[in-house]
Amino acid sequence: MPKPSDTLWDIAKAEVEKKENLEGNGDGVEVWEKSLLFMGNKNGGKTTIILRCLDRDEIPKPTLALEYTFGRRAKGHNRPKDIAHFWELGGGTSLLDLICIPITNDNIRTFAIILVLDLSKPNELWPTMDSLLQVTRNHVDKIITKLGKTNPKVATEIKQRMWNNMPKDHPFSVIHELAEGAIHPIIQIINEDVDQNQPWTNSWGTPLDTGCQLDIDHYPDHELIDPFPIPLVIIGSKYDIFHEFDSEMRKIMCKTLRFVSHYYGASLVFTSKSEALLLKARVLINHLAFGFDRSKSVSVDQNKPLFIPAGLDSLNQIGPPPASDSDIGKLHAHTPVDLWKKIYEKTFPPKSTTDLKDVNDPAQDPQYAEYEVDAMRAQKNQAKRRFRDSIFCSEEDNNLYFTYSGKSNVLEVRELNYQVNMASQIPWYENLAEMKMPWMWNTGPDSHVPAIQNLNFKVQSGQMLAIIGSSACGKTPLLDVITCRDHGGKIKSGQIIINGQPSTHQLVKKCIAHVRQDDRLLPNLTVKETLLFVAKLRLPKTFSDSQREKRVEDVIAELRLRQCANTRVGNEYIRGVSGGERRRVSIGVQLLWNPGILILDEPTSGLDSFTAHNLVITLSRLARGNRLVLLSVHQPRSDIFQLFDLVLLMTSGTTIYSGTARNMVQYFTEIGYPCPKFSNPADFYVDLTSIDNRSKEKEMESQKRARSLATLFWEKVKDVDDFLWKANEGDCVTTVYSDQSSLFTPEEVINMHSHSTDQLPGGLKQFTVLFSRQISSDFRDLSTLLIHGSEALLMSLLIGFLYYGHDKTKLSIQDTVALLFMIGALIPFTVLLDVIAKCHSERAMLYHDLEDGMYTVTPYFFAKILGELPEHCAFVIIYGVPIYWLTNLNPEPEHFLLNFLAVWLVVFCARAMALWMAALLPTLQLSAFFGNVLFTTFFLSGGFVVRLESLWLVPFWISKISFVRWSYESLMQIQFTELTYQMTVGNVTFQIPGKLVIQAMNLDSYPLYASYLILVGIISGFMVLYYLSLRFIKQKSNQDW
């Protein structure tokens, strides 16, 4: 401290030396600039306490997040003033992340926490206290841990300081009973449930750290408490309201706060607006901020305001928790704090304190209002909205609208009742797995389930109708019925009318485009290539190439895909466009032929909210282009809901509401179900009408409510022509669309509504397009090509090096026979599995393309076979050439070419068989299993494992169609026919002609050319079976059942 004789220069020099010593060693120097952080309940009185401590006569204002001020005090006359920094955290527990700002490595030694708890809100007290203390302690512990690595002396001092501040002469002598072996009731009860070998833990599960070893006479409770690492004061505000509480409630709150304060080594004081009580709180705060002497008085009477400085309480004085021993035993608490928490919350159930976390934008909270800032924010938001509208709805961009140029369309559903045969939805292979016979597949009392009941609505061009509802409400069956894809279902009554005509399959294909929920696209093609290939297949043959390209460019512009037009589509394994862009490509595939009615099955599923919103904006724009847009969606967010023109709310196949989206809340409000403020109407009303299956009682209750709502709605709209609810009798649903035919020249506007199937490209054109698509897709998949090529080369080198080194001496007869069998039998198996896997990856796309009539089976069949020939030839070359020369087989060119042809044929046989298996069976697992079984059968009957003449009747006839046997026989004839082998027995050497070896193995029954012809015949047979499977078996994938 400065002396009276010191000059101003001496005082300044001493202050600088003091600061330098603090930065140099960090110990033994008293620092007067201290910091305090006030936090606690929202509107708990923190600002009022700070103003009274600083003697400021100001009106308290709401705290804006984190606020700072400072105060100065002198300990005597003519003494320098000490500075204290005051921080205040607003928002209750909603701004916990800001706690790390005021508490830093530089001020941790001089920091203190003031926790202000609102006594008038007992249900919020514990959650607020627990959340704030937990986050603060975690942050302080991180700082101390970091200090321990750089300055361990300071870290040790901080840990020991709280214990050193505990008074040695405790005012309550009764606590010395602990030193004599008395056990506190809390500990005795908890010990019954806790392993005695486990260390005591604090309220967050970490072991208690006393910081130093103290004698029990120093502080008897030191083994049972866990002081906060920095000074802590708990202030209970609004005591005047608390004092009016029931005496039992006050007792529980007082005992709980005393225990918490004692456990954390904190001071506890109750205060209110009373000057006398504020003075007590001010004494404690001035002690921490400016080093003034703290009060020695103690008040523990629950009928009076509590005032207990840190360390002047004890567990024995506090007593056990306010609950019976039996109730305490049932709580199974593992720490003392956990026990008190459970008992407290049993009386005062916790109330959420996340006041601002549920607010989308805290800046909109009135308590944080700032005129200048709010005005700038509003201006910025308005600019953002204008920018967004300029992207999607600008006048300059209207010429990109791809409008429907045909006549307006009207879709009506009248009194539709539809039921689904659930048994028919189960794949046949699952029925067989459950040991059900075919005649049992489509039977059963519960097999027919009503999916749609008495459904009525009417929608026309220029409108977007959204079908919303929970799962199994009937959305997908309705779309299936409208698009004539109701496999396994039956319309019991009612009808669907399109433009005044009953719906038929031909009419649907003519004017309705159906975009399914999952994307079925080739991942290796770019967006533009995908659309261009579809344009060549779907647009009439009267279109020129330039018109097709113009149509593709228009669709790309309409769907905002220009930025990714040259990017691969991709999938879950191949990186490409985003999920929202891929969904728009799927829409573009259907939009190319300019349909008048666009139906989408849950287009927003799997997309994030922003992408889904942009996608629905695109659909809304398409509806304004003179189209009828119908989509199903689960629970759209509020801004998506506002984009819908009409909404059909369904549950269990019945209509709960049908009308405009803007009138939906008004309708439910009138019938007694108003939407809560700040709630999404779609979420609220879908939840209201969902069937609760958690229990039988709740299911019956929710079904009864749904039936009553459906009946009520039908009574209101049964006499209305379009079955739409309207707020007023004179209201009408407006149809908004852009009439932009004037934007196009007569050459550009081509009416698609009049085209029929005979105008589509012919079979030859389809073949050329599909062949080009197959080549492009295959050769873009470089990773797969490299893997298959490496696989063939590795197999060739492994076998080749096994037989390598016989340049001077020929292989023995036995080695040559085994080598030739392996050449023709091993590699076809890998080809079999690769081709099956590839076909099943394309199966779903093939099914939908054929269902949509994009092309027929015959062009696809030939394009598939011929398109894979380059890959097949490269594969055989990589496999067959190295192995032939490494094993020193017959070097004559004629023999080499014949050998290569045999390998080429046998590998193609395996490929053809794989194609047949993939088209015949619905799942990858079944195709791979039966393909493996068939190939193994051919392998075993190939004439090497068992001699042909040793086979019994069934395998003998199987060997007749075994391509492994005929490739083996041809390879044997090529290598052995003109060679002579020497065999030495004792001193005698025999000359054995190669033909004799072939005869001995019964592999000369047919000439060489016959083996080739038989292989070609086997290939042809598999090709025919493959074609028939494509033609007569629906190529459903396992997701389409």
Side-chain angles (χ1 to χ4, degrees):
M1 297 298 295
K3 301 176 182 178
S5 60
D6 288 344
T7 64
L8 183 62
W9 178 259
D10 294 331
I11 296 173
K13 181 180 179 181
E15 287 293 327
V16 172
E17 291 176 350
K18 184 195 310 179
K19 182 175 293 188
E20 290 177 349
N21 290 335
L22 175 63
E23 295 176 353
N25 51 39
D27 65 324
V29 180
E30 190 173 10
V31 182
W32 295 107
E33 290 193 9
K34 298 185 179 181
S35 302
L36 285 77
L37 173 61
F38 287 76
M39 55 186 184
N41 286 96
K42 187 177 178 181
N43 301 321
K46 302 182 289 296
T47 306
T48 300
I49 295 173
I50 293 175
L51 293 177
R52 296 302 298 139
C53 290
L54 299 178
D55 293 329
R56 297 180 183 175
D57 293 330
E58 300 177 10
I59 299 175
K61 298 180 180 179
T63 305
L64 298 176
L66 183 66
E67 292 193 356
Y68 166 80
T69 188
F70 68 94
R72 297 192 298 175
R73 288 285 186 276
K75 291 186 179 179
H77 188 62
N78 292 330
R79 302 287 296 274
K81 292 185 177 181
D82 300 322
I83 298 176
H85 306 276
F86 290 76
W87 296 84
E88 182 181 359
L89 180 68
T93 60
S94 62
L95 302 172
L96 295 174
D97 295 339
L98 300 181
I99 289 178
C100 62
I101 294 177
I103 309 176
T104 65
N105 296 345
D106 299 328
N107 63 11
I108 186 67
R109 298 178 64 216
T110 60
F111 211 94
I113 301 296
I114 312 297
L115 179 61
V116 181
L117 300 176
D118 189 345
L119 297 177
S120 67
K121 300 177 181 178
N123 299 88
E124 298 181 12
L125 188 145
W126 191 286
T128 300
M129 175 178 62
D130 188 54
S131 299
L132 291 171
L133 291 181
Q134 180 179 352
V135 174
T136 305
R137 182 159 197 160
N138 290 341
H139 179 63
V140 171
D141 287 343
K142 289 179 182 178
I143 294 177
I144 295 175
T145 302
K146 186 176 180 181
L147 277 176
K149 298 177 181 178
T150 59
N151 198 337
K153 194 171 184 180
V154 173
T156 304
E157 175 196 336
I158 294 174
K159 292 180 179 179
Q160 292 179 348
R161 182 175 58 188
M162 288 305 298
W163 287 100
N164 294 335
N165 290 338
M166 294 290 184
K168 295 183 179 180
D169 299 326
H170 201 285
F172 302 121
S173 60
V174 69
I175 65 173
H176 290 292
E177 296 176 4
L178 290 173
E180 299 171 2
I183 301 177
H184 192 269
I186 306 173
I187 311 304
Q188 183 176 5
I189 294 172
I190 294 180
N191 283 347
E192 298 175 0
D193 295 326
V194 179
D195 187 355
Q196 300 303 310
N197 296 323
Q198 296 293 326
W200 286 102
T201 59
N202 61 19
S203 58
W204 301 295
T206 56
L208 294 180
D209 183 8
T210 58
C212 59
Q213 296 297 325
L214 301 173
D215 187 84
I216 199 166
D217 291 330
H218 179 193
Y219 199 79
D221 287 346
H222 79 279
E223 292 183 352
L224 306 176
I225 64 176
D226 185 23
F228 212 72
I230 57 177
L232 173 64
V233 175
I234 299 178
I235 298 178
S237 64
K238 301 184 181 180
Y239 175 77
D240 50 341
I241 300 176
F242 168 77
H243 187 65
E244 302 297 327
F245 284 4
D246 179 73
S247 60
E248 189 63 28
M249 294 174 60
R250 294 202 310 271
K251 177 182 178 182
I252 295 174
M253 293 178 66
C254 288
K255 293 190 70 171
T256 301
L257 287 175
R258 284 182 63 186
F259 169 78
V260 172
S261 301
H262 181 61
Y263 182 81
Y264 291 126
S267 300
L268 176 64
V269 58
F270 284 0
T271 186
S272 67
K273 294 182 180 180
S274 167
E275 287 296 329
L277 295 181
L278 281 174
L279 181 61
K280 291 186 177 182
R282 181 177 176 179
V283 170
L284 283 176
I285 295 172
N286 283 338
H287 167 68
L288 295 175
F290 304 109
F292 290 176
D293 294 336
R294 68 175 181 175
S295 174
K296 295 287 187 179
S297 63
V298 178
S299 175
V300 296
D301 187 354
Q302 68 184 31
N303 295 315
K304 297 180 180 180
L306 297 181
F307 183 83
I308 309 174
L312 298 184
D313 209 342
S314 72
L315 292 177
N316 261 42
Q317 184 70 15
I318 296 170
S324 63
D325 292 350
S326 60
D327 291 340
I328 294 176
K330 295 177 183 178
L331 296 177
H332 302 290
H334 296 284
T335 65
V337 175
D338 189 35
L339 176 62
W340 281 86
K341 175 183 178 181
K342 291 182 177 181
I343 293 175
Y344 182 85
E345 291 183 345
K346 188 176 180 181
T347 305
F348 304 105
K351 181 180 179 181
S352 174
T353 59
T354 55
D355 304 299
L356 297 178
K357 286 188 177 180
D358 293 332
V359 179
N360 292 330
D361 186 2
Q364 303 301 325
D365 195 321
Q367 70 164 327
Y368 298 141
E370 293 179 288
Y371 177 77
E372 293 83 1
V373 176
D374 293 342
M376 288 188 291
R377 178 181 291 274
Q379 185 178 5
K380 180 180 178 182
N381 289 338
Q382 186 177 5
K384 286 170 63 179
R385 284 193 296 269
R386 285 199 302 265
F387 175 72
R388 184 187 65 186
D389 294 341
S390 68
I391 294 178
F392 296 107
C393 307
S394 70
E395 293 297 327
E396 303 175 16
D397 210 20
N398 281 346
N399 61 345
L400 295 181
Y401 278 172
F402 185 54
T403 59
Y404 174 68
S405 54
K407 295 187 296 184
S408 296
N409 293 276
V410 178
L411 174 65
E412 292 183 74
V413 175
R414 296 181 181 174
E415 299 180 1
L416 180 64
N417 288 275
Y418 174 76
Q419 66 179 15
V420 177
N421 186 356
M422 300 302 295
S424 67
Q425 307 297 315
I426 303 174
W428 59 266
Y429 50 88
E430 291 188 8
N431 282 317
L432 288 179
E434 296 176 2
M435 305 302 292
K436 292 182 180 179
M437 295 298 101
W439 55 85
M440 302 171 58
W441 290 356
N442 294 327
T443 60
D446 300 326
S447 59
H448 292 80
V449 177
I452 300 174
Q453 304 176 52
N454 194 31
L455 181 64
N456 295 271
F457 68 83
K458 181 179 180 180
V459 61
Q460 56 187 338
S461 293
Q463 297 175 340
M464 179 167 61
L465 169 64
I467 307 170
I468 64 176
S470 59
S471 298
C473 72
K475 301 188 298 294
T476 300
L478 175 58
L479 298 186
D480 290 341
V481 173
I482 294 175
T483 55
C484 294
R485 291 181 172 86
D486 51 326
H487 306 296
K490 182 179 180 181
I491 297 178
K492 301 295 290 183
S493 62
Q495 57 181 338
I496 298 171
I497 300 175
I498 301 175
N499 298 330
Q501 303 178 26
S503 175
T504 62
H505 188 71
Q506 290 75 18
L507 182 60
V508 167
K509 291 184 66 175
K510 183 178 179 180
C511 58
I512 293 181
H514 185 199
V515 181
R516 296 164 183 83
Q517 182 176 351
D518 44 355
D519 306 307
R520 305 297 192 181
L521 305 168
L522 290 176
N524 292 299
L525 299 180
T526 65
V527 171
K528 187 173 182 178
E529 288 172 340
T530 299
L531 296 177
L532 194 56
F533 280 126
V534 174
K536 293 178 181 179
L537 293 169
R538 290 300 299 267
L539 297 182
K541 55 187 177 183
T542 55
F543 269 48
S544 64
D545 291 340
S546 60
Q547 286 177 320
R548 287 189 174 92
E549 292 180 3
K550 176 65 166 55
R551 177 61 59 86
V552 170
E553 292 295 338
D554 288 344
V555 171
I556 289 175
E558 174 65 27
L559 297 176
R560 305 305 188 261
L561 293 170
R562 281 176 171 171
Q563 73 280 4
C564 62
N566 297 314
T567 305
R568 291 189 184 189
V569 173
N571 56 15
E572 61 269 25
Y573 306 110
I574 300 174
R575 186 172 183 178
V577 297
S578 66
E581 290 168 339
R582 189 178 302 116
R583 194 62 53 82
R584 277 182 275 161
V585 175
S586 297
I587 297 174
V589 168
Q590 299 295 336
L591 196 62
L592 277 169
W593 61 278
N594 203 8
I597 301 176
L598 189 62
I599 294 180
L600 305 99
D601 187 7
E602 298 189 15
T604 60
S605 294
L607 303 181
D608 62 86
S609 57
F610 178 77
T611 305
H613 181 242
N614 288 341
L615 178 62
V616 177
I617 288 177
T618 300
L619 297 177
S620 177
R621 196 172 60 251
L622 292 176
R624 292 199 299 272
N626 194 26
R627 290 186 185 85
L628 189 160
V629 178
L630 181 66
L631 71 152
S632 64
V633 61
H634 268 296
Q635 288 176 274
R637 73 181 200 180
S638 56
D639 53 356
I640 293 178
F641 180 78
Q642 294 171 3
L643 295 172
F644 299 145
D645 299 317
L646 303 174
V647 171
L648 173 62
L649 175 60
M650 298 179 63
T651 183
S652 300
T654 60
T655 303
I656 303 298
Y657 173 80
S658 179
T660 60
R662 64 177 180 271
N663 289 334
M664 184 173 177
V665 174
Q666 180 180 349
Y667 167 75
F668 280 100
T669 302
E670 291 183 4
I671 64 174
Y673 295 96
C675 180
K677 193 176 181 181
F678 306 121
S679 293
N680 178 8
D683 286 339
F684 179 74
Y685 292 122
V686 168
D687 292 343
L688 175 69
T689 58
S690 297
I691 305 301
D692 191 346
N693 297 317
R694 289 178 295 176
S695 65
K696 195 65 177 177
E697 293 77 13
K698 292 183 178 180
E699 181 178 0
M700 294 177 62
E701 179 185 354
S702 56
Q703 286 177 345
K704 181 180 179 180
R705 180 173 62 246
R707 284 194 297 268
S708 64
L709 290 173
T711 302
L712 180 60
F713 179 78
W714 174 246
E715 291 296 327
K716 290 180 177 292
V717 301
K718 64 181 180 180
D719 297 326
V720 182
D721 178 59
D722 54 6
F723 304 102
L724 299 177
W725 185 84
K726 302 176 181 62
N728 300 308
E729 290 296 330
D731 288 353
C732 62
V733 180
T734 58
T735 301
V736 181
Y737 60 88
S738 299
D739 185 10
Q740 298 182 2
S741 58
S742 60
L743 296 174
F744 299 94
T745 63
E747 291 78 17
E748 293 173 330
V749 177
I750 300 175
N751 293 330
M752 293 291 299
H753 65 279
S754 61
H755 86 274
S756 57
T757 56
D758 59 346
Q759 289 182 298
L760 296 178
L764 182 60
K765 178 65 175 179
Q766 292 180 9
F767 165 74
T768 56
V769 174
L770 293 173
F771 179 77
S772 176
R773 188 182 73 171
Q774 184 73 40
I775 294 293
S776 300
S777 179
D778 287 348
F779 281 86
R780 292 280 180 81
D781 194 1
L782 293 179
S783 59
T784 301
L785 292 177
L786 289 175
I787 290 173
H788 289 174
S790 302
E791 183 181 37
L793 181 61
L794 182 61
M795 291 286 290
S796 178
L797 294 178
L798 285 176
I799 299 175
F801 285 128
L802 180 65
Y803 288 91
Y804 183 72
H806 296 275
D807 296 338
K808 297 180 180 180
T809 61
K810 293 186 296 184
L811 289 172
S812 66
I813 295 175
Q814 182 178 358
D815 292 342
T816 304
V817 169
L819 170 63
L820 295 176
F821 185 78
M822 281 192 294
I823 289 175
L826 291 186
I827 198 64
F829 180 70
T830 60
V831 173
L832 177 75
L833 297 180
D834 292 338
V835 172
I836 288 176
K838 181 180 179 181
C839 288
H840 273 281
S841 67
E842 301 172 354
R843 186 182 175 110
M845 184 197 68
L846 173 62
Y847 170 69
H848 290 141
D849 286 352
L850 294 176
E851 284 284 299
D852 292 338
M854 191 176 295
Y855 46 80
T856 57
V857 168
T858 303
Y860 174 81
F861 169 79
F862 286 105
K864 179 70 174 177
I865 299 301
L866 298 179
E868 292 188 349
L869 278 181
E871 179 186 355
H872 171 73
C873 293
F875 184 87
V876 175
I877 290 172
I878 294 172
Y879 172 74
V881 174
I883 197 174
Y884 190 88
W885 299 110
L886 285 173
T887 55
N888 195 29
L889 294 175
N890 195 327
E892 295 296 329
E894 178 185 357
H895 290 76
F896 167 73
L897 293 176
L898 290 173
N899 183 91
F900 179 81
L901 179 58
V903 174
W904 193 97
L905 288 173
V906 71
V907 175
F908 200 80
C909 281
R911 182 178 293 274
M913 187 180 76
L915 291 172
W916 174 47
M917 285 288 114
L920 178 67
L921 299 169
T923 66
L924 173 62
Q925 293 79 6
L926 285 174
S927 297
F929 172 74
F930 284 104
N932 187 12
V933 169
L934 192 57
F935 179 80
T936 303
T937 303
F938 292 159
F939 179 89
L940 296 176
S941 60
F944 176 77
V945 179
V946 180
R947 293 165 60 89
L948 293 177
E949 63 269 19
S950 300
L951 295 173
W952 63 287
L953 183 61
V954 174
F956 177 78
W957 282 103
I958 291 176
S959 69
K960 296 291 185 180
I961 59 172
S962 169
F963 55 82
V964 177
R965 175 259 176 98
W966 295 111
S967 67
Y968 177 48
E969 184 167 328
S970 61
L971 292 175
M972 287 287 292
Q973 291 183 20
I974 293 169
Q975 295 299 324
F976 280 89
T977 299
E978 299 179 1
L979 293 181
T980 302
Y981 288 85
Q982 294 182 352
M983 178 177 293
T984 302
V985 179
N987 295 326
V988 181
T989 300
F990 298 93
Q991 298 291 331
I992 301 178
K995 289 184 177 181
L996 188 62
V997 176
I998 300 172
Q999 292 174 0
M1001 298 185 68
N1002 197 22
L1003 296 175
D1004 63 343
S1005 56
Y1006 295 90
L1008 180 60
Y1009 72 87
S1011 297
Y1012 288 122
L1013 292 177
I1014 293 174
L1015 287 174
V1016 172
I1018 293 174
I1019 292 174
S1020 301
F1022 283 136
M1023 289 292 101
V1024 171
L1025 292 173
Y1026 175 48
Y1027 178 82
L1028 294 176
S1029 297
L1030 291 176
R1031 183 70 177 81
F1032 298 106
I1033 298 178
K1034 290 186 178 296
Q1035 298 300 300
K1036 287 186 177 182
S1037 65
N1038 54 350
Q1039 294 92 352
D1040 293 317
W1041 281 93

